[in-house]
């Protein structure tokens, strides 16, 4: 009845981590009874047996009459643990070659709130009596917890009960170069762990290491009994404050945030989760957004999408670094064939967090479809039908806001060379209003690129390349009746570019840039200057071998 040998019997150095009290939700999740780990001055795997004793009553009686779990709880012994024959509620788990074994306990959907099983764990090394270990485990509740003996509970708590643990967050603005105190008022009816995570607020991008310049300076409970808190040091890395709550009560947890003098104007979200359940959903959660008050803006980062010859979309996310402005491409999910579209354009630059007014696509039958951005990093949501008849146009160009109403517009050129403006409505079901004539003679251009401000006046402009390879700038006016001013010659020599895209600011200087691809598949970034007289600076090669994409947008 003994088992094991790498730990000499009775190896005084062996120990396991303390076992924990567990809370499980009826019908969801489970509790692992095994300790989180073990240690000691031993070679190889420890060699012995873990003995678990589970009882409906506290483990204090020498009479084993309540062995097993109460109605509403169930035990999964796992492959490494077997029930002890003839002894209810006792499980033997040999350790040699089996890591750190232990049974699991879960609650059925009908388990009553407060249903509890009491369990213990005793380690018996090879050469020692397993029967004696069983008796020790059966009465472990009356003995001190030690390095080889422990006891705890598993309790079922309904979601309604756990919801009684409530939190109130206070998150004032943090000034750059200063600090501020935030707080969480916790009304705890259960023991648990409070975790405070600081993340980008919805619609804000993630920060690079060293870019945030905000840290947690201190955290505590003012010496309240029953709660201990700690915090991460250095710049915030999501879970930043954590508190162990050992008994019910009302606690005020405070933490000081400190922002560097050059911290940008971030928008942040503090999410407090009170982890009562050992596993699964249902833990109380509360969020509150706040900002860093700073004159330094957070520079947006933008993405570019390539459509391959096979009809897949590949997503290139902006890095904010001019020398390497995009990450390696990621395949956009789904099995949709994007080659079914004869025209495809985004209405304005799309950020790395998938914000923006979306994109439109025309299928080969002339039906126009609208794609909203997802807002969750996944780029686009399911398409919405706009209507038919769009084969009348040989060019569709997303133009951002040309009318000054902060809604993205669409430019469409018909086969006679007339350019039309479709003003955006901001309504997904009907994204465009009645068309407005911009003017004729636009057939001389074989590429139109819009959606960004190239002149620094905060109005969307348009680039147009003629058949001779000359690039022209049409400065935006912000007025629907006449959306563009007189054209300005940018430069010549653009005939060799088979793709022109204005994805947004690529090098974090606050100015929109241009991306082109040549016939060899090399991709170039043209840095924006923000001036109408010379809107684009010198080009820099940023990638090669992009021939496989039949469209960049």
């Amino acid at each position: 009845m003994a088992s094991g040998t790498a730990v000499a019997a009775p190896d005084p150095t062996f120990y396991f981590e303390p076992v924990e009290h567990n809370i499980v939700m009826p019908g969801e999740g489970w509790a692992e009874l095994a300790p989180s780990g073990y240690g000691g001055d031993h070679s190889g795997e420890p060699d012995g047996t873990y003995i678990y004793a589970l009882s409906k009553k506290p483990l204090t009686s020498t009479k084993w009459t309540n062995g097993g779990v109460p109605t509403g709880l169930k035990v999964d012994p796992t492959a490494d643990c077997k029930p002890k024959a003839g002894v209810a509620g006792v499980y033997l788990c040999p350790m040699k070659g089996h890591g750190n074994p232990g049974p699991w306990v879960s609650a059925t959907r009908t388990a009553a709130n407060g249903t509890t099983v009491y369990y213990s764990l005793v380690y018996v090394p090879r050469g020692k009596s397993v029967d004696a270990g069983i008796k020790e485990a059966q009465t472990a509740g009356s003995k001190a917890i030690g390095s080889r003996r422990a006891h705890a509970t598993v309790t079922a708590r309904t979601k309604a009960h756990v919801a009684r643990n409530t939190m109130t967050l206070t998150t004032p603005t943090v000034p750059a170069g200063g600090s501020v105190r935030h707080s969480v008022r916790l009304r705890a009816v259960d023991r648990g762990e409070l975790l405070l995570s600081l993340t980008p607020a919805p619609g804000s991008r993630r920060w690079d290491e060293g870019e945030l310049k905000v840290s947690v300076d201190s955290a505590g409970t003012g010496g309240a009994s029953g709660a201990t808190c700690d915090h991460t040091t250095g710049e915030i890395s999501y879970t930043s404050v954590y508190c162990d709550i050992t008994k019910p009560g009302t606690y005020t947890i405070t933490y000081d945030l400190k922002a560097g003098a050059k911290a940008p104007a971030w928008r942040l979200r503090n999410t407090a989760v009170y982890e009562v359940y050992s596993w699964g959903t249902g833990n109380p959660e509360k969020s509150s957004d706040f900002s860093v008050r700073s004159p330094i803006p957070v520079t947006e980062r933008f993405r570019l999408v390539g459509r391959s010859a096979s009809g897949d979309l590949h997503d290139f996310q902006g890095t904010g670094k001019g020398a390497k402005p995009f990450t390696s491409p990621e395949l956009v999910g789904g099995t949709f064939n994007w080659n079914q579209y004869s025209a495809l354009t985004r209405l304005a630059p799309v950020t790395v967090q998938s914000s923006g007014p979306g994109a439109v696509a025309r299928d080969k039958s002339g039906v126009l479809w609208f794609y909203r951005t997802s807002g969750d990093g996944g780029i686009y949501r399911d398409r919405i039908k706009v209507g038919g008849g769009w084969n009348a146009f040989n060019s569709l160009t997303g133009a951002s806001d040309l009318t000054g109403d902060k809604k993205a517009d669409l430019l469409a050129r018909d086969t006679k060379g007339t350019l039309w403006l479709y003003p955006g409505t901001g309504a997904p079901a009907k994204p465009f209003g009645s068309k407005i004539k911009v003017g004729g003679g636009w057939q001389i251009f074989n590429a139109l690129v819009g959606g960004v401000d190239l002149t620094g006046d905060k109005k969307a402009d348009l680039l147009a390349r003629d058949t001779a390879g000359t690039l022209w700038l049409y400065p935006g006016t912000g007025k629907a009746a006449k959306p563009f001013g007189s054209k300005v010659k940018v430069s010549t020599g653009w005939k060799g570019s088979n793709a022109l895209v204005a994805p947004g600011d690529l090098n974090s200087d606050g100015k929109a840039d241009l991306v082109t691809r040549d016939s060899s598949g090399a991709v170039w970034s043209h840095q924006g200057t923000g001036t109408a007289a010379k809107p684009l600076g010198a080009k820099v090669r940023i990638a090669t071998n992009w021939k496989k994409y039949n469209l960049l947008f």
Side-chain angles (χ1 to χ4, degrees), residues 496-499 515-519 521-524 546-547 549-550 552:
S497 298
N498 57 30
V515 170
T516 62
R517 181 185 61 187
D518 63 28
S519 57
V523 181
W524 304 82
W546 279 31
K547 276 187 174 182
Y549 302 112
N550 58 32
L552 299 176

Side-chain angles (χ1 to χ4, degrees), residues 24-100:
V24 292
M25 182 191 297
E28 180 181 317
W30 60 82
E32 297 184 35
L33 303 191
S36 58
Y38 58 80
D41 184 13
H42 53 79
S43 59
E45 289 289 327
D47 192 0
T49 301
Y50 274 171
I51 300 172
Y52 295 87
L54 286 77
S55 173
K56 305 177 189 70
K57 299 291 183 180
L59 297 158
T60 55
S61 174
T62 56
K63 297 179 181 180
W64 191 245
T65 57
N66 294 297
V69 296
T71 300
L73 299 182
K74 58 182 180 179
V75 181
D76 177 2
T78 76
D80 301 324
C81 298
K82 305 297 181 185
K84 170 64 175 174
V87 187
V90 173
Y91 297 86
L92 306 181
C93 307
M95 290 196 71
K96 187 173 178 62
H98 295 291
N100 201 34

Side-chain angles (χ1 to χ4, degrees), residues 426-449:
K430 188 181 179 181
F432 304 112
S434 300
K435 65 182 180 180
I436 301 169
K437 185 177 180 179
V438 176
W442 289 80
Q443 70 273 15
I444 66 172
F445 300 115
N446 57 23
L448 299 176
V449 183

Side-chain angles (χ1 to χ4, degrees), residues 284-330:
E285 182 174 316
K286 196 73 176 286
S287 294
S288 178
D289 296 344
F290 64 97
S291 300
V292 177
R293 188 171 66 249
S294 170
I296 303 172
V298 176
T299 56
E300 285 288 6
R301 292 179 182 171
F302 300 94
R303 63 209 311 168
L304 182 147
V305 175
R307 183 180 66 182
S308 70
S310 61
D312 295 323
L313 290 189
H314 295 257
D315 175 31
F316 295 83
Q317 295 199 24
T319 65
K321 299 173 177 62
K324 189 179 179 181
F326 297 113
T327 61
S328 297
E330 294 184 5

Side-chain angles (χ1 to χ4, degrees), residues 5 29 65 115 149 181 211 243 246 345 369 372 423 438 448 494:
T5 98
T65 57
T115 303
R149 179 179 60 236
R181 176 159 290 183
E211 188 185 15
C243 302
T246 59
T345 180
W369 302 87
R372 292 172 293 169
V438 176
L448 299 176
W494 292 81

